[in-house]
């Protein structure tokens, strides 16, 4: 609502702006603005134009950003959950940086499902079931759940039954799983009746992992989040029973962009990193959550 500020934003003179507005109004056949002493206001016709004009400029801006992003061969913006970012991706990123100095990674760690175009995202690592129509989608980590605890806690809990006397940490961010995966399911799979109720609840699994490392209690941990703590001996997974689910981590990107060099490099790296989780499967008996009565 200021010709002077509009002219400044457009990098033209106020006279040039006024000429364009006059041309617009002549083309439309009616005034768009009412000229007041020190201000301007929209006419009825101008008010009718606003929604469509805003939508048009928004679409134009979105198309411009998309084209620029697709032409950007260096920057790769990745979104993933905070737990996966902190516990699995972040400790490994130096390896990708060393192997691919030509790619600049940017991360958006959030549980909110971001829009690839609106939020300018190139790759998403998402946990769930899919399907993902319209996107390139590849399963990268098929996670599983088993009790994990500090070595000191493991000495006090030598058998599955002894966990009934331990503090059991609970994770709310997996409550969407169907069939469910929780302590009750694991205890039934182990042939033990009645998982003890209560215990601290966490809305993010990485916080539950940290609590287990500190010796607070036992977590029904996911390997992707606990891999570093397990390999470094901060946590142990002493029991052989592990629960599986159809939910998995997927690598997602807009269809066709998986062949871009920067995206292909990150996908190949993710595939290699996922292989590091395979040794943790040794000695486990995997039971699908849906098979636990």
């Amino acid at each position: 609502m200021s010709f002077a500020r509009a002219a400044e934003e457009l990098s033209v003179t106020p006279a040039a702006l006024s000429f364009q507005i006059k041309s617009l109004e002549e083309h439309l056949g009616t005034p768009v603005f009412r000229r007041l002493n020190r201000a301007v206001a929209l006419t009825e016709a101008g008010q009718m134009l606003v929604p469509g004009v805003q939508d048009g400029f928004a679409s134009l801006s979105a198309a411009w950003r998309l084209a620029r992003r697709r032409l950007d061969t260096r920057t790769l913006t990745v979104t993933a959950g905070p737990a996966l970012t902190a516990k699995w991706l972040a400790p490994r990123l130096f390896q990708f940086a060393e192997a691919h100095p030509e790619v600049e990674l940017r991360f958006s760690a959030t549980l909110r499902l971001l829009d690839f175009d609106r939020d300018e995202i190139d790759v998403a690592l998402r946990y769930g079931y899919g399907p993902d129509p319209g996107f390139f989608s590849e399963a990268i980590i098929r996670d599983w759940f088993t009790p994990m605890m500090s070595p000191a806690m493991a000495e006090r809990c030598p058998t599955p039954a002894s966990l009934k006397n331990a503090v059991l940490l609970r994770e709310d961010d997996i409550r969407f799983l169907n069939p469910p995966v929780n302590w009750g399911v694991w205890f039934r799979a182990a042939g033990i009746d009645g998982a003890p109720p209560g215990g601290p609840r966490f809305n993010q699994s990485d916080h539950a992992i940290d609590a287990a490392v500190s010796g607070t209690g036992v977590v029904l941990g996911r390997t992707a989040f606990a891999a570093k703590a397990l390999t470094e001996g901060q946590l142990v997974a002493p029991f052989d029973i592990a629960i599986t689910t159809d939910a998995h981590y997927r690598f997602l990107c807009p269809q066709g962009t998986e062949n871009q060099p920067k995206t292909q490099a990150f996908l190949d790296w993710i595939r290699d990193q996922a292989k590091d989780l395979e040794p943790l499967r040794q000695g486990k008996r995997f039971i699908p959550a849906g098979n636990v009565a």
Side-chain angles (χ1 to χ4, degrees):
M1 292 296 98
S2 167
F3 284 3
R5 288 200 297 270
E8 181 181 355
E9 180 180 333
L10 295 171
S11 299
V12 299
T13 65
L17 179 75
S18 295
F19 177 80
Q20 293 294 339
I21 291 175
K22 182 180 179 182
S23 176
L24 165 70
E25 292 176 329
E26 289 177 350
H27 188 72
L28 184 63
T30 188
V32 174
F33 293 99
R34 291 188 294 115
R35 281 75 168 172
L36 308 176
N37 286 336
R38 295 187 177 182
V40 294
L42 288 171
T43 63
E44 183 179 356
Q47 291 173 350
M48 287 188 291
L49 283 172
V50 168
V53 170
Q54 288 178 332
D55 290 345
F57 275 112
S59 297
L60 179 62
S61 297
W64 181 264
R65 290 195 306 271
L66 177 62
R68 286 179 61 89
R69 198 169 82 245
R70 296 290 171 85
L71 292 172
D72 183 356
T73 60
R74 176 173 174 79
T75 305
L76 188 73
T77 303
V78 179
T79 181
L84 187 72
T85 302
K87 294 299 184 184
W88 194 69
L89 285 171
R92 302 160 179 265
L93 285 180
F94 74 94
Q95 301 174 25
F96 182 85
E98 286 183 345
H100 298 281
E102 77 283 3
V103 179
E104 177 185 329
L105 282 179
R106 297 179 182 176
F107 278 90
S108 177
T110 178
L111 291 176
R112 185 168 61 90
L113 294 183
L114 300 183
D115 182 88
F116 282 87
D117 292 336
R118 184 192 64 233
D119 299 307
E120 300 188 18
I121 298 297
D122 297 303
V123 171
L125 304 180
R126 290 179 178 164
Y127 183 71
Y129 298 99
D132 305 293
F135 295 97
F136 170 85
S137 178
E138 179 177 320
I140 52 172
I141 300 175
R142 295 193 178 275
D143 228 340
W144 40 275
F145 300 76
T146 194
M148 301 176 186
M149 63 202 82
S150 68
M153 181 72 71
E155 292 181 3
R156 301 196 296 271
C157 300
T159 65
S162 63
L163 292 180
K164 296 188 74 171
N165 299 317
V167 174
L168 303 182
L169 310 177
R170 300 169 192 271
E171 302 148 280
D172 287 340
D173 58 353
I174 59 172
R175 295 178 72 178
F176 74 94
L177 294 177
N178 186 23
V181 177
N182 52 42
W183 278 112
V185 172
W186 189 88
F187 271 85
R188 290 196 299 274
I192 302 170
D193 293 330
R201 307 194 73 94
F202 297 85
N203 68 344
Q204 294 190 28
S205 293
D206 58 325
H207 297 168
I209 293 292
D210 290 339
V213 168
S214 71
T216 300
V218 183
V219 64
L220 192 60
R222 272 188 270 176
T223 49
F225 298 164
K228 186 173 184 291
L230 289 169
T231 56
E232 293 179 354
Q234 295 175 305
L235 289 178
V236 295
F239 308 125
D240 64 342
I241 297 172
I243 305 299
T244 62
T245 173
D246 289 337
H248 54 279
Y249 279 101
R250 295 107 64 214
F251 181 106
L252 296 177
C253 63
Q255 195 75 46
T257 63
E258 71 275 12
N259 298 319
Q260 293 180 345
K262 62 181 182 181
T263 307
Q264 185 66 59
F266 189 65
L267 176 56
D268 289 342
W269 179 77
I270 287 286
R271 288 168 175 158
D272 287 340
Q273 296 303 308
K275 293 176 183 176
D276 292 347
L277 298 175
E278 289 303 309
L280 298 176
R281 301 176 65 90
Q282 295 179 3
K284 300 300 181 188
R285 287 194 295 130
F286 296 99
I287 300 176
N291 292 356
V292 179

